[in-house]
Amino acid sequence: MPRNMKKLTLQELAKRNAELYEKYGRPLEKEHQGKFVAISEEGKVIIDPNDVRAAQKAIEEFGAGRFAFHKIGFKATGKWRNTSAS
């Protein structure tokens, strides 16, 4: 971790991510609904319809842990997978 990067608590991280989305992600909802957005701490955005590709681009450009990640227009980003054998 870079020396100037403070380690955030989970609450601080959630607050930062929500603030970044409100400021930079919410305005994208009309045009990019359902796509994925990575938002840097400086407000730069990466938009991609593929979650893995968006995350990979963000890690390369912003650095791991240095961005908020959301599905545009949704409250949560995630997938349910059934891994049990039938």
Side-chain angles (χ1 to χ4, degrees):
M1 175 184 311
R3 290 181 194 174
N4 63 345
M5 190 173 152
K6 175 189 168 202
K7 185 169 179 162
L8 301 176
T9 66
L10 287 177
Q11 292 81 9
E12 290 170 329
L13 184 62
K15 183 177 186 249
R16 181 205 67 174
N17 289 352
E19 289 170 352
L20 287 171
Y21 184 79
E22 284 302 315
K23 187 170 184 178
Y24 302 105
R26 180 106 31 229
L28 303 172
E29 289 182 354
K30 186 174 182 180
E31 188 176 343
H32 298 285
Q33 180 85 16
K35 294 179 183 174
F36 295 89
V37 63
I39 308 168
S40 77
E41 296 166 327
E42 295 80 27
K44 294 179 184 176
V45 298
I46 292 173
I47 300 168
D48 199 290
N50 180 283
D51 58 343
V52 173
R53 212 170 30 235
Q56 288 172 333
K57 289 177 187 177
I59 290 167
E60 289 172 11
E61 188 169 330
F62 308 143
R66 303 293 307 263
F67 58 91
F69 193 80
H70 292 270
K71 186 170 187 178
I72 299 172
F74 291 78
K75 292 196 181 279
T77 300
K79 296 179 183 177
W80 288 95
R81 295 196 172 129
N82 184 352
T83 59
S84 63
S86 297

